[in-house]
Amino acid sequence: QVTLRESGPALVKPTQTLTLTCTFSGFSLSTSGMCVSWIRQPPGKALEWLALIDWDDDKYYSTSLKTRLTISKDTSKNQVVLTMTNMDPVDTATYYCARIRALGVDDSSGTFDYWGQGTLVTVSS
Amino acid sequence: DIQMTQSPSSVSASVGDRVTITCRASQGISSWLAWYQQKPGKAPKLLIYAASSLQSGVPSRFSGSGSGTDFTLTISSLQPEDFATYYCQQANSFPLITFGQGTRLEIK
């Protein structure tokens, strides 16, 4: 079955760089149409899409955060890594990784059908 | 970027009620819309894709409709486990994704 799991530090200091790893199983990121995204959710607030990497190693970022984000993948390890620079207390959130398939793959393309459990990252000195 | 606006932001209802939540896109998104349910401390769960298709395993009391800019999620007869927050998500501009701000469904 498909599973995803986020890992990384629970606490980072302001101005530091956050590195999160998504380790997944049950699918391959080298399969055509397969993608993994990062989404975050500040406490009590809405979901915010951050970044996506696809099977062809193309990378896409939120317009508002693109200067601070880098997404990469290690297909052999079934891992996707997100880095976010210059962390600020407003970046305190639960960070999720989720699977999504490119449009046209099947009827449920473009939706997040499997999610990790999320990891809470607090930014504080 | 395509903006997604949900209404209401919160709604109170009773078990057995019919509830409708609306999502409006800032520009046409065809039927590239999904709905998610999120319970406290949990990841979102996919309910509806392609505006009106029910994800496998989701109860049939959930339904979705709409196309273009206006969409609705309807729960025909609320059950105790349905009290949660609901989000819409557009994929028309894939891979640039946007979510609505959420609708909190509370027990009256």
Side-chain angles (χ1 to χ4, degrees), chain A residues 41 49 60 63 107 110 112, chain B residues 1 36 38 42 49 87 89 95:
Chain A
Q41 185 173 40
W49 176 78
Y60 304 90
T63 302
D107 289 348
F112 300 103
Chain B
D1 291 7
Y36 300 84
Q38 187 180 33
K42 300 293 188 182
Y49 61 89
Y87 293 93
Q89 172 242 313

Side-chain angles (χ1 to χ4, degrees), chain A residues 7-13 18-20 92-93 95 119-124:
Chain A
S7 59
L11 179 66
V12 298
K13 291 179 169 31
L18 171 68
T19 299
L20 295 172
T92 294
Y95 287 75
T119 186
L120 175 61
V121 177
T122 301
V123 185
S124 175

Side-chain angles (χ1 to χ4, degrees), chain A:
Chain A
Q1 79 277 25
V2 174
T3 65
L4 302 98
R5 186 183 76 251
E6 306 87 352
S7 59
L11 179 66
V12 298
K13 291 179 169 31
T15 76
Q16 286 187 336
T17 294
L18 171 68
T19 299
L20 295 172
T21 300
C22 175
T23 303
F24 58 87
S25 63
F27 67 97
S28 173
L29 200 38
S30 61
T31 299
S32 180
M34 205 64 71
C35 313
V36 171
S37 249
W38 286 93
I39 300 119
R40 72 177 179 179
Q41 185 173 40
K45 296 189 177 180
L47 301 165
E48 178 183 20
W49 176 78
L50 298 178
L52 179 147
I53 190 164
D54 71 14
W55 72 100
D56 211 22
D57 207 32
D58 291 320
K59 301 155 189 177
Y60 304 90
Y61 300 101
S62 160
T63 302
S64 60
L65 291 167
K66 63 191 306 182
T67 61
R68 299 173 53 205
L69 296 172
T70 302
I71 192 170
S72 62
K73 66 182 175 76
D74 185 330
T75 305
S76 64
K77 292 183 178 179
N78 282 351
Q79 290 183 332
V80 171
V81 174
L82 180 76
T83 63
M84 179 180 290
T85 61
N86 195 25
M87 293 292 285
D88 183 272
V90 300
D91 297 313
T92 294
T94 296
Y95 287 75
Y96 296 98
C97 62
R99 188 183 84 161
I100 185 169
R101 283 153 298 159
L103 298 190
V105 171
D106 57 31
D107 289 348
S108 63
S109 298
T111 64
F112 300 103
D113 55 353
Y114 291 94
W115 296 67
Q117 83 281 4
T119 186
L120 175 61
V121 177
T122 301
V123 185
S124 175
S125 55

Side-chain angles (χ1 to χ4, degrees), chain B residues 69-91:
Chain B
T69 60
D70 294 314
F71 302 85
T72 60
L73 171 70
T74 299
I75 310 172
S76 60
S77 178
L78 275 173
Q79 299 301 299
E81 61 268 29
D82 300 336
F83 293 94
T85 300
Y86 293 85
Y87 293 93
C88 62
Q89 172 242 313
Q90 69 81 21

Side-chain angles (χ1 to χ4, degrees), chain B residues 23 29-33 35 48-53 63-74:
Chain B
C23 182
I29 60 169
S30 185
S31 295
W32 294 112
L33 185 101
W35 290 96
I48 301 282
Y49 61 89
S52 60
S53 295
S63 63
S65 65
S67 67
T69 60
D70 294 314
F71 302 85
T72 60
L73 171 70
T74 299

